[in-house]
Amino acid sequence: MFTIVKLQAINSTNTYLKDCIKQGPVKNATVVVAHHQKNGRGQLGSTWESEIGKNLTFSLLYRFKSLVLSHQFYLNCAVSLALYDCLLPIVKDKLRIKWPNDIMSDNKKLGGILIENTVKSGLITQSVIGVGLNVNQLQFADNLPNATSLKAICNQEFDLDVLLQNILNAFADKFKYIENYKFDFLNQAYHKALYNSNVLTQFTDGKSKFFGKIIGVNLDGMLLLELENGESKSFINKSIEYI
């Protein structure tokens, strides 16, 4: 199903794949994997650092048959859950999905996801799904104190090719739920795996600090918090941060 393209060193697998699409037709389910991603991209302009040859950094082009823009939250659920389900047998009960789609283990970041959609006439015509997963790296930059890896957790090396294939198989499985409109399952499974759900947590909006309980994520992908005064508020991605 998947066509895998392996590259030595590029700036960003998402950017490379999108540039290929601009230049001509690219087969559906094409995967670009980088041995060294020099300028990996995260959510809203953030960066993803990765030691050469130690981790999985790849992007997948996928075209759904009929995915309306208003259902893009379910795509986020499907991608997050695919990674979650693939890693759960390895990491066990420590694994969680941190809104919107970071993969966490014991309060440390194990992986991140960047989804970039092309929209036309209210439909998502194609998605470029970027994944950065810390696998065999043990040392992280000082500005990444909360990063971890599979090797750090399990004390063993992992075969990157085998892990990639397992993740892609998990993607294929979860995409069937989108194609078959089984959105309730995706929504429920995502919320079951949600990091710090119903736990009093401190946040900041850049101006002040406050406490709230995560009570869910709405269909627009906004985080729903119940504040200390009982008020419920919704927040878009990157408008608040955990402390």
Side-chain angles (χ1 to χ4, degrees):
M1 176 182 180
F2 296 97
T3 301
I4 298 176
V5 178
K6 292 186 177 182
L7 301 174
Q8 277 298 310
I10 55 175
N11 285 332
S12 159
T13 54
N14 263 37
T15 299
Y16 177 88
L17 194 46
K18 291 195 298 181
D19 287 343
C20 289
I21 295 168
K22 291 177 183 177
Q23 295 169 12
V26 177
K27 186 179 178 181
N28 189 34
T30 292
V31 182
V32 174
V33 187
H35 182 73
H36 178 206
Q37 186 172 234
K38 296 181 286 186
N39 188 26
R41 296 166 52 219
Q43 294 283 346
L44 297 180
S46 61
T47 59
W48 181 270
E49 297 183 20
S50 179
E51 188 177 342
I52 299 174
K54 293 288 187 178
N55 305 313
L56 275 180
T57 50
F58 68 92
S59 294
L60 163 67
L61 167 66
Y62 201 84
R63 300 184 182 98
F64 293 92
K65 295 175 183 177
S66 180
L67 179 59
V68 298
L69 181 59
S70 60
H71 288 162
Q72 65 177 330
F73 170 66
Y74 300 118
L75 172 58
N76 181 69
C77 292
V79 173
S80 303
L81 287 167
L83 205 53
Y84 175 87
D85 285 354
C86 183
L87 298 177
L88 190 60
I90 302 171
V91 183
K92 309 299 181 185
D93 57 350
K94 300 176 181 179
L95 205 65
R96 291 292 182 268
I97 300 172
K98 180 181 174 184
W99 172 78
N101 49 30
D102 283 342
I103 306 300
M104 306 290 290
S105 174
D106 257 1
N107 299 315
K108 291 191 174 184
K109 187 171 179 178
L110 183 59
I113 296 164
L114 174 63
I115 303 173
E116 297 182 287
N117 296 317
T118 301
V119 180
K120 185 176 181 181
S121 301
L123 292 175
I124 297 175
T125 57
Q126 64 184 20
S127 300
V128 175
I129 301 161
V131 174
L133 179 65
N134 297 327
V135 182
N136 294 318
Q137 182 172 340
L138 291 178
Q139 301 296 323
F140 296 93
D142 292 338
N143 64 338
L144 299 173
N146 293 322
T148 190
S149 69
L150 292 179
K151 184 175 181 179
I153 296 167
C154 302
N155 196 31
Q156 69 179 77
E157 288 271 338
F158 289 85
D159 186 307
L160 296 181
D161 289 333
V162 171
L163 190 57
L164 173 63
Q165 192 58 59
N166 290 341
I167 293 171
L168 294 178
N169 290 341
F171 278 158
D173 177 67
K174 288 297 179 287
F175 289 167
K176 292 177 184 177
Y177 288 93
I178 293 179
E179 301 286 14
N180 294 319
Y181 304 102
K182 294 183 178 179
F183 298 135
D184 285 346
F185 170 84
L186 294 173
N187 191 17
Q188 291 171 13
Y190 177 86
H191 277 87
K192 186 177 180 181
L194 193 59
Y195 175 77
N196 271 10
S197 181
N198 290 308
V199 175
L200 191 63
T201 304
Q202 190 174 25
F203 298 88
T204 178
D205 59 7
K207 298 177 182 178
S208 61
K209 299 177 182 179
F210 60 94
F211 285 90
K213 286 185 179 180
I214 296 174
I215 56 176
V217 180
N218 67 20
L219 298 187
D220 292 323
M222 300 173 71
L223 186 69
L224 304 177
L225 293 184
E226 181 183 292
L227 305 182
E228 288 184 288
N229 62 5
E231 179 187 2
S232 296
K233 289 190 68 174
S234 58
F235 298 87
I236 62 173
N237 188 21
K238 296 294 186 180
S239 64
I240 58 172
E241 294 182 356
Y242 293 81
I243 295 179

